[in-house]
Structures are given as structure tokens and as C-alpha cells.
Amino acid sequence: MNFESRVLPELRSTLAQFPGFQLEEKLAWSRSLLVGPPIEQSEHVRTITRMIPGADGEMLVKIYEPVQRTGDKLPAMMWIHGGGYVMGHPDMDDALCERFVQAANCVVVSVDYRLAPEHPYPAALHDCYAGLTWMTEEAEQLGIDVERVAIAGASGGGGLTAALALMVRDKGGPALIFQMPLYPMIDNRNDTASSHEITAENATWNRANNVAAWKMYLGENNDASEVPYAVPSRASSLEGLPPTYTCVGQLDLFRDETIEYVTRLAQAGVDVEFHLYPGCFHVFEVFVPQAEVSQRASQSYVDAMARALNP
């Protein structure tokens, strides 16, 4: 059976219309595919855009918080957008960040980290660490409870989430109670069965895209064997990481590296919740949000974050 025939019927029509990213040939055009119209903002969530100190100059962040706040400090989550390390912007996840705010009664900070190939590793990760450090250092101003801080992201943002958790563990802070790297991009070797399986040009992320994106992200360090935190799947130990939630579609190129990551977390004594969705491709719940499986998947991870931040 080919890739398209294995996709759930409720997801197929949208997939058939997707032209596919062309990172090496048309990077600017590929980036434009992730730019959508502004959302109609929720009346229950306040969104603030501001500039903060990044790892190398100023960095934009978007801060989402409940409109109705008491004097109590709220839990907080840092969100890291996806895009294979080479595309994306916080604006594309406005609706999702609003959902987290309302479900978990929390503050969400979404970071506009620098993208490759203009800014290869470690620029993006250092920006994320700077954003997390700023968020916790400004906890009083933001009304954040530093005892309840989590990090999360999807795809490339999931890879940065996993890398950031490792960096925070090794540096000794800021303290995290939870991480949620959704269908994360964490292995540059491209040697798993799923990385060879997903090659269709109209797949939302295929082998050609993955090879190109890793080359852009790692730059001169493309073997990554000696580069700490660049490729989380190559970390020597996953011990001491915070409790974790992740999910992946069975037709996602990242299926096998995610399963291996989950297995290693469990073997390292890290509490982990994992969901595998048959018939689903990469970022299926974003591409086809109205589908039943998409609503079920996104509600599952939104609820998981709410539970983690409100133990």
C-alpha cells in the first residue's frame, strides 16, 4: 500500500491539496505556506507582543494570559513553534496558545527564535534558553509561579523542546516540571524505517525535506556526533528529565525516532505518556483540525498540559 492509501479518509482531501515543501529549491516560498490569516482572538485571553534579550540581540516573544486574573501567581509554559528549524513564526500558533491558557489557566510565552540556514545551530536553542531564563527571571512581573513551569513545542519545536530539557538539566535550571515535545524532530541520521518510508512529495514532511532541513540547521556540524544538544536522540543519557508527554502519527517520518525516545525515557525512569495515531501524517491535527482524530489528539495534549501545570 502506498502512503496516500494508508491515510485516514477524513484526512485525505486536505493532504491531496498540499503542494509539499521545497526547502532547497524554494525556501522563501515554503516559508510562505505557514503564513495564515490572523485568528479571531479569544475575548478570554490577552496577547502581548514584546521584545526581550535573546542570545544575540533582541528577540520577539508573544505572551498569552487570562484576561480575568486574580492576584494569584499562575503556572507557565514556554511554547516553541515548529517548522523544521528553518520555517515558522509564533503567529501561526496563536489559537493553540490561547487553548493552553484557557485549559490550564496559565501564562504562555512563545519565542521567535532565529531560523536556519541564516542562523544555524546553536542559535535557535540558545534563543529558547534565553527565553526560558527571561521568563523565570521576570516571574514577578509576569505573575508566574516558578515552581510550575513547563516547556512544549511541535515538530522542529519539539526537537528544540527536547534539546532545551537536556540543556536545562545539565545547567541546573530553570526548573521544569514537565516537557511536551510533540512528534519531535530529534535525529539527523535518517536511518530509521519510517524515515525511509515517508517519501511522497505531497507528504507534509518527507525524507527529502528532513535531510535538507538538518543540513541547514547543523551547517558545518552536520555529523553532529560531537555537538551537544543539537540532536537529542544522540544524548548519552535521558535520566533526570522532567515527566514527558508526546504523540506521533503512524505515517509520520518521525514515528520511529519518537518511539525510540519514549522507550529510552521510560528506561531512564522518566514518567512518559505516549500516543500513536494510525493513518495520520505529520502535523495532521494542524492541517485538518476539524477531523475527529485531530480534535481528539489536540485535546489530549492540551489536557495533559493542564494536568501537569495544575497537579
Side-chain angles (χ1 to χ4, degrees):
M1 297 176 68
N2 64 22
F3 170 73
E4 290 86 352
S5 66
R6 295 176 64 196
V7 172
L8 286 177
E10 61 183 341
L11 303 178
R12 282 181 197 160
S13 60
T14 300
L15 179 66
Q17 298 169 29
F18 182 61
F21 296 116
Q22 299 177 42
L23 299 187
E24 289 189 307
E25 303 88 350
K26 301 178 179 179
L27 180 57
W29 174 81
S30 296
R31 286 171 170 170
S32 74
L33 296 180
L34 297 181
V35 179
I39 68 162
E40 183 176 341
Q41 292 188 328
S42 168
E43 61 183 12
H44 304 294
V45 179
R46 178 186 299 111
T47 303
I48 303 165
T49 300
R50 62 177 294 182
M51 303 301 293
I52 69 166
D56 183 24
E58 287 194 316
M59 174 175 66
L60 179 144
V61 296
K62 299 189 79 168
I63 304 165
Y64 309 80
E65 63 179 0
V67 168
Q68 300 294 334
R69 289 195 63 168
T70 65
D72 296 338
K73 291 183 177 179
L74 298 180
M77 179 190 101
M78 190 173 86
W79 175 256
I80 307 172
H81 71 76
Y85 304 117
V86 300
M87 301 181 288
H89 186 275
D91 288 351
M92 69 189 200
D93 293 325
D94 283 339
L96 178 58
C97 289
E98 287 188 349
R99 284 183 69 184
F100 282 124
V101 168
Q102 295 180 83
N105 191 34
C106 68
V107 175
V108 174
V109 176
S110 182
V111 292
D112 185 24
Y113 57 87
R114 288 169 291 167
L115 300 175
E118 295 88 345
H119 303 282
Y121 175 85
L125 180 57
H126 285 183
D127 283 344
C128 292
Y129 188 80
L132 180 63
T133 302
W134 173 84
M135 187 172 84
T136 52
E137 289 178 347
E138 297 294 322
E140 198 67 32
Q141 177 191 354
L142 296 171
I144 285 174
D145 177 1
V146 294
E147 301 298 320
R148 291 186 291 161
V149 174
I151 57 175
S155 189
L160 287 167
T161 299
L164 183 59
L166 290 166
M167 178 175 278
V168 165
R169 177 197 66 182
D170 296 346
K171 286 180 174 285
L176 300 173
I177 65 166
F178 191 62
Q179 68 153 342
M180 194 168 70
L182 302 172
Y183 34 86
M185 181 176 173
I186 52 175
D187 193 342
N188 72 315
R189 290 168 289 192
N190 293 290
D191 59 4
T192 65
S194 60
S195 73
H196 287 278
E197 182 181 319
I198 309 302
T199 57
E201 289 187 6
N202 69 323
T204 49
W205 194 252
N206 61 23
R207 181 177 179 83
N209 291 329
N210 206 50
V211 170
W214 274 114
K215 287 180 179 177
M216 293 177 185
Y217 179 56
L218 295 175
E220 296 178 357
N221 299 308
N222 195 44
D223 70 347
S225 57
E226 302 299 325
V227 183
Y229 314 120
V231 184
S233 67
R234 301 176 81 155
S236 59
S237 171
L238 301 182
E239 291 183 4
L241 292 177
T244 303
Y245 178 103
T246 187
C247 64
V248 70
Q250 189 172 346
L251 302 180
D252 191 325
L253 179 141
F254 299 143
R255 179 194 67 213
D256 294 349
E257 60 201 69
T258 301
I259 290 172
E260 180 189 19
Y261 181 63
V262 166
T263 302
R264 289 185 61 202
L265 284 169
Q267 291 170 345
V270 177
D271 293 334
V272 56
E273 180 176 351
F274 170 61
H275 296 261
L276 179 68
Y277 293 98
C280 295
F281 47 76
H282 190 59
V283 293
F284 65 94
E285 86 287 11
V286 177
F287 271 73
V288 198
Q290 73 277 11
E292 185 278 331
V293 68
S294 300
Q295 294 180 17
R296 178 158 41 94
S298 61
Q299 194 62 51
S300 178
Y301 59 68
V302 168
D303 288 345
M305 181 58 70
R307 290 193 302 270
L309 290 178
N310 299 279

